[in-house]
Amino acid sequence: MSALIDLSSQSADLVAATATRVLALRGPASRPQSAILWSPGLIVTAQDTLEDRTDFEALLPDGKLVSATLVGRDATTDIALLKAETGEGEAWRSAETPRPGALAFLVGRGDHSPLPAMALVSEVGPAWRSMRGGDIDARVALALRHSRRLEGGAAVAADGGLIGMAVTGPRGRTLVIPAATIARVVAVLSDKGYIPHGYLGVSLHPTGQGDGAVIVGVEPEGPAEAAGFLIGDIVTTWNGEPIASVRDVSTRLAQTAIGSTAKIGIQRGGNALDIDARIGERPRR
């Protein structure tokens, strides 16, 4: 019995310590969701469930209600960054990548208290690319379906280190956006207010033969036009790697640094050509 009492007390202490850096965020028409006090004045939450507006209310750990303003969003990693008068806060300590079977704690915030949940780490894997093209530093899934109010909350290890941010993945399971990914995205959003994406300036269509992608449109004054691409060209390679589909082109484009040059192989009128194209930044519309 004493062991259970000790475990209960330690869990409550861990939740209480984590809750000092977790808050609730809400807009006029939305239900509250949780958020992480990333650093003094900066708040991180899940962008997919965030209301489509720029001004919010943030319920701080001390119960104070303050205004929060959107800095920027990155749909590819499901991260939104906001700023608010949060006061000082203790810095996060990042956790090591957890092992499958390890305990993890989710901590969000309700109107009157922290919202905790406990789960096993059910899957751990290497870096991966989201369906929207975002680079996620590690795949971490929990054996839990969390409530809507826990979305955007902190996932911490048993030692209190921050694993990352809780988001809803496929089939409702809980995924964790790692702290390393958050740090990288926050740095760019703080600087630019958005995440730059590579841009070639072509419209593509499958060839119907299972290999390559045919160019069906070239945008005026875009990188592709400047490099000499033509409608009807079939993209076959990217920096020597074969292209099998339109998705392959999108993947290679996302992996190529803005401002760098890609050697793109094409078929034109039965002839194989290589074209050097300087990758631009996708225009913001």
Short mmCIF file of all heavy atoms in Angstrom, two decimals, residues 65-91:
data_model
loop_
_atom_site.label_atom_id
_atom_site.label_comp_id
_atom_site.label_asym_id
_atom_site.label_seq_id
_atom_site.Cartn_x
_atom_site.Cartn_y
_atom_site.Cartn_z
N LEU A 65 -5.93 35.80 -16.54
CA LEU A 65 -6.38 35.74 -17.93
C LEU A 65 -5.75 36.90 -18.68
O LEU A 65 -5.90 38.06 -18.29
CB LEU A 65 -7.90 35.82 -17.99
CG LEU A 65 -8.59 35.39 -19.29
CD1 LEU A 65 -8.34 33.93 -19.58
CD2 LEU A 65 -10.08 35.66 -19.21
N VAL A 66 -5.02 36.58 -19.77
CA VAL A 66 -4.33 37.62 -20.55
C VAL A 66 -4.65 37.44 -22.03
O VAL A 66 -5.10 36.37 -22.46
CB VAL A 66 -2.80 37.57 -20.34
CG1 VAL A 66 -2.45 37.81 -18.87
CG2 VAL A 66 -2.22 36.26 -20.84
N SER A 67 -4.41 38.49 -22.80
CA SER A 67 -4.59 38.42 -24.25
C SER A 67 -3.36 37.76 -24.88
O SER A 67 -2.23 38.00 -24.45
CB SER A 67 -4.77 39.83 -24.83
OG SER A 67 -5.94 40.42 -24.32
N ALA A 68 -3.59 36.94 -25.90
CA ALA A 68 -2.52 36.28 -26.65
C ALA A 68 -2.73 36.55 -28.13
O ALA A 68 -3.85 36.51 -28.63
CB ALA A 68 -2.51 34.79 -26.39
N THR A 69 -1.65 36.84 -28.84
CA THR A 69 -1.70 37.18 -30.25
C THR A 69 -0.89 36.16 -31.06
O THR A 69 0.23 35.82 -30.67
CB THR A 69 -1.14 38.59 -30.50
OG1 THR A 69 -1.88 39.53 -29.72
CG2 THR A 69 -1.26 38.97 -31.98
N LEU A 70 -1.46 35.74 -32.16
CA LEU A 70 -0.78 34.76 -33.01
C LEU A 70 0.46 35.38 -33.65
O LEU A 70 0.40 36.46 -34.23
CB LEU A 70 -1.74 34.27 -34.10
CG LEU A 70 -1.20 33.18 -35.03
CD1 LEU A 70 -1.10 31.86 -34.29
CD2 LEU A 70 -2.10 33.03 -36.26
N VAL A 71 1.58 34.66 -33.55
CA VAL A 71 2.82 35.06 -34.24
C VAL A 71 2.88 34.39 -35.60
O VAL A 71 3.21 35.01 -36.61
CB VAL A 71 4.05 34.69 -33.40
CG1 VAL A 71 5.34 34.97 -34.18
CG2 VAL A 71 4.05 35.44 -32.07
N GLY A 72 2.56 33.10 -35.63
CA GLY A 72 2.57 32.36 -36.89
C GLY A 72 2.19 30.92 -36.68
O GLY A 72 2.14 30.43 -35.55
N ARG A 73 1.90 30.25 -37.79
CA ARG A 73 1.49 28.84 -37.77
C ARG A 73 2.33 28.05 -38.76
O ARG A 73 2.76 28.59 -39.78
CB ARG A 73 0.03 28.66 -38.19
CG ARG A 73 -1.02 29.42 -37.42
CD ARG A 73 -2.36 29.26 -38.11
NE ARG A 73 -3.44 30.03 -37.50
CZ ARG A 73 -4.45 29.48 -36.83
NH1 ARG A 73 -4.52 28.17 -36.71
NH2 ARG A 73 -5.40 30.22 -36.32
N ASP A 74 2.51 26.78 -38.46
CA ASP A 74 3.11 25.86 -39.42
C ASP A 74 2.23 24.63 -39.50
O ASP A 74 2.30 23.75 -38.63
CB ASP A 74 4.53 25.48 -39.03
CG ASP A 74 5.14 24.49 -40.00
OD1 ASP A 74 4.76 24.50 -41.18
OD2 ASP A 74 6.01 23.69 -39.59
N ALA A 75 1.40 24.57 -40.53
CA ALA A 75 0.48 23.43 -40.67
C ALA A 75 1.23 22.12 -40.88
O ALA A 75 0.72 21.05 -40.54
CB ALA A 75 -0.47 23.68 -41.85
N THR A 76 2.44 22.18 -41.44
CA THR A 76 3.16 20.95 -41.76
C THR A 76 3.63 20.20 -40.50
O THR A 76 3.79 18.99 -40.52
CB THR A 76 4.37 21.21 -42.67
OG1 THR A 76 5.39 21.90 -41.95
CG2 THR A 76 3.96 22.02 -43.89
N THR A 77 3.85 20.93 -39.41
CA THR A 77 4.26 20.29 -38.15
C THR A 77 3.21 20.43 -37.06
O THR A 77 3.43 19.96 -35.94
CB THR A 77 5.59 20.89 -37.64
OG1 THR A 77 5.43 22.31 -37.49
CG2 THR A 77 6.73 20.60 -38.61
N ASP A 78 2.07 21.08 -37.37
CA ASP A 78 0.97 21.28 -36.43
C ASP A 78 1.38 22.14 -35.24
O ASP A 78 0.95 21.91 -34.12
CB ASP A 78 0.41 19.93 -35.94
CG ASP A 78 -0.99 20.05 -35.37
OD1 ASP A 78 -1.56 21.16 -35.43
OD2 ASP A 78 -1.51 19.06 -34.83
N ILE A 79 2.20 23.15 -35.49
CA ILE A 79 2.68 24.03 -34.42
C ILE A 79 2.20 25.46 -34.68
O ILE A 79 2.35 25.98 -35.79
CB ILE A 79 4.22 24.00 -34.33
CG1 ILE A 79 4.70 22.61 -33.90
CG2 ILE A 79 4.73 25.06 -33.35
CD1 ILE A 79 6.20 22.43 -34.00
N ALA A 80 1.62 26.06 -33.65
CA ALA A 80 1.28 27.48 -33.69
C ALA A 80 2.03 28.19 -32.57
O ALA A 80 2.18 27.65 -31.47
CB ALA A 80 -0.23 27.68 -33.54
N LEU A 81 2.49 29.40 -32.86
CA LEU A 81 3.22 30.20 -31.88
C LEU A 81 2.45 31.48 -31.60
O LEU A 81 2.02 32.17 -32.53
CB LEU A 81 4.62 30.53 -32.42
CG LEU A 81 5.50 31.39 -31.51
CD1 LEU A 81 5.87 30.64 -30.24
CD2 LEU A 81 6.76 31.83 -32.26
N LEU A 82 2.27 31.78 -30.32
CA LEU A 82 1.59 33.01 -29.90
C LEU A 82 2.46 33.76 -28.91
O LEU A 82 3.37 33.17 -28.30
CB LEU A 82 0.23 32.69 -29.27
CG LEU A 82 -0.77 31.91 -30.14
CD1 LEU A 82 -0.69 30.43 -29.80
CD2 LEU A 82 -2.18 32.42 -29.94
N LYS A 83 2.16 35.03 -28.75
CA LYS A 83 2.88 35.83 -27.76
C LYS A 83 1.88 36.43 -26.78
O LYS A 83 0.73 36.74 -27.14
CB LYS A 83 3.71 36.92 -28.42
CG LYS A 83 2.92 37.93 -29.24
CD LYS A 83 3.85 38.94 -29.89
CE LYS A 83 3.06 39.96 -30.72
NZ LYS A 83 3.94 40.96 -31.37
N ALA A 84 2.31 36.57 -25.54
CA ALA A 84 1.45 37.13 -24.49
C ALA A 84 2.32 37.60 -23.34
O ALA A 84 3.50 37.22 -23.23
CB ALA A 84 0.44 36.09 -24.00
N GLU A 85 1.74 38.41 -22.49
CA GLU A 85 2.44 38.86 -21.27
C GLU A 85 2.30 37.75 -20.23
O GLU A 85 1.36 37.73 -19.43
CB GLU A 85 1.84 40.17 -20.77
CG GLU A 85 2.05 41.36 -21.70
CD GLU A 85 3.51 41.75 -21.81
OE1 GLU A 85 4.27 41.50 -20.85
OE2 GLU A 85 3.90 42.31 -22.85
N THR A 86 3.24 36.82 -20.25
CA THR A 86 3.14 35.64 -19.39
C THR A 86 3.95 35.76 -18.11
O THR A 86 3.78 34.95 -17.20
CB THR A 86 3.63 34.40 -20.15
OG1 THR A 86 5.02 34.57 -20.48
CG2 THR A 86 2.83 34.19 -21.42
N GLY A 87 4.84 36.74 -18.03
CA GLY A 87 5.76 36.78 -16.91
C GLY A 87 6.87 35.76 -17.09
O GLY A 87 6.97 35.09 -18.12
N GLU A 88 7.71 35.65 -16.10
CA GLU A 88 8.82 34.71 -16.17
C GLU A 88 8.32 33.28 -15.94
O GLU A 88 7.24 33.06 -15.40
CB GLU A 88 9.89 35.07 -15.13
CG GLU A 88 10.52 36.43 -15.36
CD GLU A 88 11.24 36.50 -16.70
OE1 GLU A 88 11.92 35.53 -17.05
OE2 GLU A 88 11.12 37.55 -17.37
N GLY A 89 9.14 32.32 -16.37
CA GLY A 89 8.80 30.92 -16.17
C GLY A 89 10.05 30.07 -16.18
O GLY A 89 11.07 30.45 -16.75
N GLU A 90 9.98 28.94 -15.53
CA GLU A 90 11.13 28.04 -15.47
C GLU A 90 11.37 27.43 -16.85
O GLU A 90 10.43 27.06 -17.56
CB GLU A 90 10.87 26.93 -14.45
CG GLU A 90 12.05 26.01 -14.23
CD GLU A 90 11.74 24.94 -13.19
OE1 GLU A 90 10.68 25.04 -12.55
OE2 GLU A 90 12.55 24.01 -13.05
N ALA A 91 12.63 27.31 -17.25
CA ALA A 91 12.97 26.77 -18.57
C ALA A 91 12.69 25.27 -18.61
O ALA A 91 12.83 24.56 -17.60
CB ALA A 91 14.44 27.04 -18.89
#
